[in-house]
Amino acid sequence: MSDLIQTVLIYALPVIFAITLHEAAHGYAAQRLGDSTAAMLGRVTLNPLVHIDPIGTILMPLLLYFSTGGAFLFGYAKPVPVRFDHLRHPKRDMVWVALAGPAANLLQALLWGILLYALAAAGVSERFFIDMCKAGMLTNVVMFAFNLFPLPPLDGGRILVGLLPWRQAIMVSKIEPWGFFIVMALVITGVVNSLWMQPLIGVTFDLLKLLLSPLAALIR
């Protein structure tokens, strides 16, 4: 129980930031591109309470943590409402709106990495803060990779629909009503993890390592 409490405390802030900024980024991008639906509903905000779904953000991850011993975790926030027909260039702008969420996670992963090196440079060795920075990087990289999986309703699926020719885009978009269940089945069977998550997470951490290399050199 003490290990669980410590894990929750370490991951709480990174997860809240990761979810909040991911969803707010979608709303902000949509607003900039012509759709103010999310803004009118108060979803373009850094208030985490607006984005947290009691079941998807809190109950489901906790139940999965206890039932699988921490081996499998999954959760989600309240999706930001976007009227793609309100966008100035719906098909093209859909890509930017969808990409905004994962981009926010990638940026946060980089910022947590910068903070990690800043703590090291300042001589801070408190394990709690070091582990929180590492948790921040891991949480955001996982969210970045998972949300880019190319199947609606995930961001990667919406990006794919926006990039494909109209005929193929319509065919892929028809998957969306069942997309969540398909993704969950692929997650449970390990397909998403082995064929998508692990390779993309590895590449993303390599990119972060490259971007953070000047700081690493300075500390040495």
Side-chain angles (χ1 to χ4, degrees):
M1 181 59 69
S2 62
D3 289 341
L4 173 61
I5 293 173
Q6 185 179 29
T7 300
V8 169
L9 291 175
I10 288 172
Y11 276 87
L13 196 61
V15 168
I16 288 172
F17 274 126
I19 291 173
T20 300
L21 293 177
H22 178 102
E23 296 301 334
H26 284 313
Y28 177 75
Q31 184 181 23
R32 296 285 294 179
L33 295 170
D35 176 37
S36 58
T37 304
M40 290 189 295
L41 294 174
R43 295 299 304 277
V44 186
T45 175
L46 298 183
N47 179 5
L49 297 178
V50 175
H51 304 290
I52 289 175
D53 183 281
I55 295 176
T57 313
I58 300 172
L59 183 60
M60 181 182 288
L62 286 176
L63 288 175
L64 287 173
Y65 183 90
F66 282 115
S67 62
T68 66
F72 175 67
L73 285 176
F74 180 80
Y76 56 87
K78 293 178 183 177
V80 167
V82 177
R83 289 286 303 273
F84 291 106
D85 57 317
H86 287 186
L87 299 172
R88 286 188 285 272
H89 305 282
K91 195 167 183 297
R92 185 194 69 187
D93 292 346
M94 176 193 303
V95 175
W96 294 112
V97 173
L99 193 59
N105 291 126
L106 183 61
L107 177 60
Q108 286 180 83
L110 179 62
L111 293 175
W112 281 110
I114 291 173
L115 180 58
L116 180 63
Y117 280 109
L119 292 176
V124 177
S125 58
E126 174 59 45
R127 182 182 172 185
F128 178 82
F129 297 114
I130 301 299
D131 286 350
M132 181 179 288
C133 290
K134 292 179 179 178
M137 294 185 71
L138 178 60
T139 298
N140 280 284
V141 168
V142 168
M143 281 192 66
F144 170 78
F146 182 74
N147 279 284
L148 285 180
F149 188 72
L151 191 70
L154 295 178
D155 296 328
R158 298 188 187 280
I159 293 170
L160 180 62
V161 169
L163 294 176
L164 286 173
W166 274 108
R167 184 176 179 180
Q168 289 81 359
I170 292 172
M171 291 175 60
V172 174
S173 65
K174 289 180 179 179
I175 299 173
E176 184 158 348
W178 302 277
F180 175 80
F181 303 103
I182 296 173
V183 170
M184 285 302 299
L186 293 175
V187 167
I188 293 171
T189 56
V191 173
V192 171
N193 183 52
S194 60
L195 298 182
W196 182 265
M197 294 292 289
Q198 289 185 11
L200 187 53
I201 286 174
V203 170
T204 305
F205 269 115
D206 286 342
L207 173 63
L208 291 172
K209 184 178 180 181
L210 177 63
L211 294 174
L212 292 168
S213 58
L215 288 177
L218 284 175
I219 292 175
R220 294 197 195 103

